Amino acid sequence: MTFEDLNLNTPLLNAISDLGFTQPTPIQQKVFSVVMSGRDVVGIAQTGTGKTFAYLLPILRQFTFSKQKEPRVLIVVPTRELVVQLVGEIKKLTAYMSVRVEGVYGGTNINTQKLLIVNGLDILVATPGRLMDLALCRALNLRYVRQFVIDEVDEMLNLGFRAQLTTILDLLPRRRQNLLFSATMTEEVDEMIGIFFNAPVNIEAVRAGTPLERIEQSAYEVPNFYTKLNLLEHLLATDDTMRKVLIFSPSKRTADLIHKHLEARFPEQFEIIHGNKSQNFRMNAVAQFEKGLCRGLIATDLLARGLDVTDVTHVINVDTPAEPETYIHRIGRTGRADRDGAAVLFTSEAETSAREAIETLMEKKIPVLPLPGDLVISDQLIEDERYTVPEVQLKPLTRPAGAFHEKKAKNKKVNLGNKTKHLRDMKYKKPIKKKAKRK
Ligand code: AMP
């Protein structure tokens, strides 16, 4: 199937040809006609399957020019980085159309964003928190939204945006089309669909042909974090196919440690992004990595999620994520579209069950490679590794028989229920009771 078969118009076909795409991906083929028919869609698709264009293409195909100031299409995504990325993709796709698109997200001046909205727009891309703030202070009117997209909803719920999403859904007009995309189907996602969606069509990006197939996976059994650092350094020093490497770290603290370590050995070759870094710093780091100006990017899960960086040669997992889906998301950064990639997993004994859960989810074992002979095994431990759950069962806590001293009577608080009534009763001594009606 070609893009012409989807009955796209000339401006979209020209934009797609500029982007160099020749064929719609399976999820793009499936989602297109359902969105065009006006039905709600629940798409289960990881990043890397082409799911973003799967909803953008039919939305833009139906687009009509308007001078109306309020947005008609609303797209909600979990992070600021995704907002910026998505606005960029929409701009590329609408290069030959007249579409006003803006992105709003937290952590920046809300007044500047209010101005963007006042000027009028067709498509708004937003993170849930900022969107809710703008809607509740009435800077933004959501009553004209006809199509509502929630992308990466599982991640949004993981981040605790449930309340914001519910508020936004309540502010939207009843008559609208909902398009929801999630990498995984969790109970919470399912519940949300049940409440707000109207007989949606479920579309799943088929496993065959997804990037997972194109990724060569391998694992190393490594005893602790510092040995993992040594191994990382060793691999980077000996494997020159590792040209554009995305390194996942379990936490901000370990990300900083990895960065410090690599900076000493490979100065100015590695960038880092995590939640404690400023927005500008993060954008700059990602841009450097994307342009190939540095060899690698160290990231925590939250920020790397959904980031679309091309030609990543290797994804290195310094830890084995406890949630198997997280592993799938991580390695999905490589082997995207039609390129092959490699994913390396560092796994310690304590992470064995996490690794098994990943293998169960993928229905595939990750081949374990022998550690390099000259690898330095460290016995230094990081704080998390030093803490081990004591084997012995703790005795249940027993309360001491009495307090150090007995409380004075006036300090003994007793909940008497209705406080006003209680005070009134104390003041008037005898309780005032309604007289029973005489028969
Ligand atoms: P997504 O799954 O939306 O994160 O997209 C993953 C990557 O695939 C992005 O870099 C897109 O630019 C690219 N892409 C999307 N659709 C196509 C297509 N039909 N052919 C080739 N690449 C595509």
Side-chain angles (χ1 to χ4, degrees):
M1 190 191 245
T2 64
F3 283 107
E4 276 85 3
D5 297 331
L6 290 182
N7 189 22
L8 292 177
N9 49 18
T10 320
L12 281 175
L13 285 175
N14 287 342
I16 284 170
S17 125
D18 287 356
L19 284 165
F21 301 163
T22 47
Q23 232 192 335
T25 64
I27 187 109
Q28 287 166 0
Q29 296 175 23
K30 287 185 191 165
V31 167
F32 192 84
S33 58
V34 185
V35 176
M36 293 296 282
S37 76
R39 288 191 65 181
D40 282 1
V41 171
V42 171
I44 300 298
Q46 305 148 15
T47 40
T49 50
K51 57 149 174 103
T52 317
F53 285 11
Y55 61 79
L56 288 180
L57 286 173
I59 288 177
L60 293 171
R61 175 67 182 88
Q62 290 167 314
F63 191 81
T64 50
F65 178 78
S66 160
K67 283 189 176 162
Q68 183 187 305
K69 292 206 160 182
E70 296 82 10
R72 286 172 289 159
V73 176
L74 176 64
I75 306 174
V76 185
V77 291
T79 64
R80 312 167 205 180
E81 279 80 1
L82 278 175
V83 171
V84 175
Q85 188 176 301
L86 197 51
V87 169
E89 304 222 299
I90 297 173
K91 286 196 171 149
K92 280 186 213 155
L93 261 186
T94 56
Y96 303 99
M97 297 167 72
S98 179
V99 177
R100 298 162 301 169
V101 53
E102 296 293 349
V104 292
Y105 42 82
T108 45
N109 190 327
I110 194 166
N111 292 325
T112 326
Q113 299 190 334
K114 281 182 188 168
L115 285 179
L116 296 178
I117 293 166
V118 169
N119 288 340
L121 69 167
D122 301 300
I123 302 178
L124 180 64
V125 185
T127 49
R130 178 53 59 94
L131 176 67
M132 191 186 79
D133 292 344
L134 286 165
L136 290 182
C137 74
R138 293 178 193 270
L140 173 66
N141 184 350
L142 295 179
R143 266 186 305 155
Y144 297 93
V145 171
R146 292 280 164 267
Q147 282 167 315
F148 177 52
V149 183
I150 325 180
D151 200 354
E152 309 226 349
V153 65
D154 49 348
E155 182 61 11
M156 230 175 270
L157 295 171
N158 279 346
L159 291 173
F161 282 132
R162 195 196 154 83
Q164 285 89 335
L165 272 185
T166 314
T167 310
I168 294 162
L169 281 156
D170 283 339
L171 291 170
L172 292 173
R174 267 168 183 246
R175 264 177 63 91
R176 60 166 199 266
Q177 185 180 26
N178 299 297
L179 312 174
L180 175 142
F181 287 83
S182 186
T184 47
M185 179 52 79
T186 62
E187 245 173 62
E188 235 186 333
V189 176
D190 197 37
E191 191 193 322
M192 178 156 276
I193 295 165
I195 302 173
F196 295 103
F197 280 52
N198 187 11
V201 178
N202 290 306
I203 299 172
E204 197 160 347
V206 276
R207 261 175 181 262
T210 62
L212 219 50
E213 309 272 303
R214 298 184 162 272
I215 303 171
E216 194 191 323
Q217 300 182 55
S218 57
Y220 288 95
E221 288 171 343
V222 196
N224 53 39
F225 179 77
Y226 276 100
T227 312
K228 286 179 175 181
L229 273 186
N230 294 345
L231 177 61
L232 179 63
E233 205 182 299
H234 186 284
L235 294 178
L236 289 168
T238 52
D239 186 345
D240 53 15
T241 64
M242 291 192 171
R243 289 184 318 274
K244 200 169 181 184
V245 190
L246 187 53
I247 301 165
F248 280 96
S249 154
S251 69
K252 294 176 207 167
R253 212 161 35 84
T254 45
D256 283 331
L257 268 174
I258 298 170
H259 189 234
K260 202 171 135 207
H261 206 81
L262 293 186
E263 190 58 34
R265 175 80 190 259
F266 312 97
E268 293 181 18
Q269 291 188 29
F270 290 85
E271 293 287 337
I272 174 170
I273 51 167
H274 62 58
N276 287 356
K277 302 284 178 195
S278 73
Q279 182 69 9
N280 273 350
F281 184 99
R282 278 150 44 177
M283 298 264 189
N284 191 33
V286 174
Q288 296 268 345
F289 184 58
E290 170 60 20
K291 288 184 198 143
L293 298 176
C294 62
R295 187 175 175 198
L297 180 70
I298 303 155
T300 51
D301 286 305
L302 173 56
L303 289 186
R305 176 99 193 210
L307 277 187
D308 183 25
V309 268
T310 44
D311 298 337
V312 171
T313 58
H314 292 74
V315 167
I316 300 184
N317 300 275
V318 172
D319 66 315
T320 307
E323 301 228 338
E325 289 85 4
T326 306
Y327 175 80
I328 311 280
H329 291 310
R330 286 182 179 187
I331 70 167
R333 318 289 97 219
T334 181
R336 310 192 105 192
D338 50 2
R339 291 186 184 85
D340 291 343
V344 185
L345 177 70
F346 293 175
T347 182
S348 69
E349 206 181 329
E351 294 170 318
T352 309
S353 58
R355 183 172 100 202
E356 284 166 0
I358 292 168
E359 292 176 333
T360 310
L361 181 72
M362 294 193 303
E363 294 165 10
K364 179 177 177 174
K365 282 243 178 259
I366 308 171
V368 177
L369 302 180
L371 290 177
D374 50 349
L375 179 73
V376 180
I377 308 288
S378 169
D379 51 14
Q380 193 181 348
L381 298 179
I382 56 168
E383 207 178 303
D384 293 350
E385 291 167 338
R386 258 178 260 144
Y387 174 77
T388 46
V389 183
E391 300 257 309
V392 278
Q393 278 273 309
L394 289 173
K395 275 190 188 166
L397 278 178
T398 45
R399 265 175 183 282
F404 296 117
H405 55 80
E406 277 299 313
K407 282 182 181 170
K408 289 190 176 148
K410 68 171 181 160
N411 289 336
K412 281 186 180 168
K413 268 193 184 164
V414 185
N415 188 358
L416 296 168
N418 187 335
K419 193 177 164 196
T420 332
K421 179 177 175 295
H422 172 62
L423 291 175
R424 194 178 59 200
D425 290 354
M426 290 226 303
K427 190 169 168 191
Y428 296 107
K429 304 290 185 245
K430 88 182 162 203
I432 306 165
K433 276 187 186 159
K434 272 188 184 169
K435 280 182 188 163
K437 265 189 183 173
R438 275 199 197 157
K439 282 192 182 164

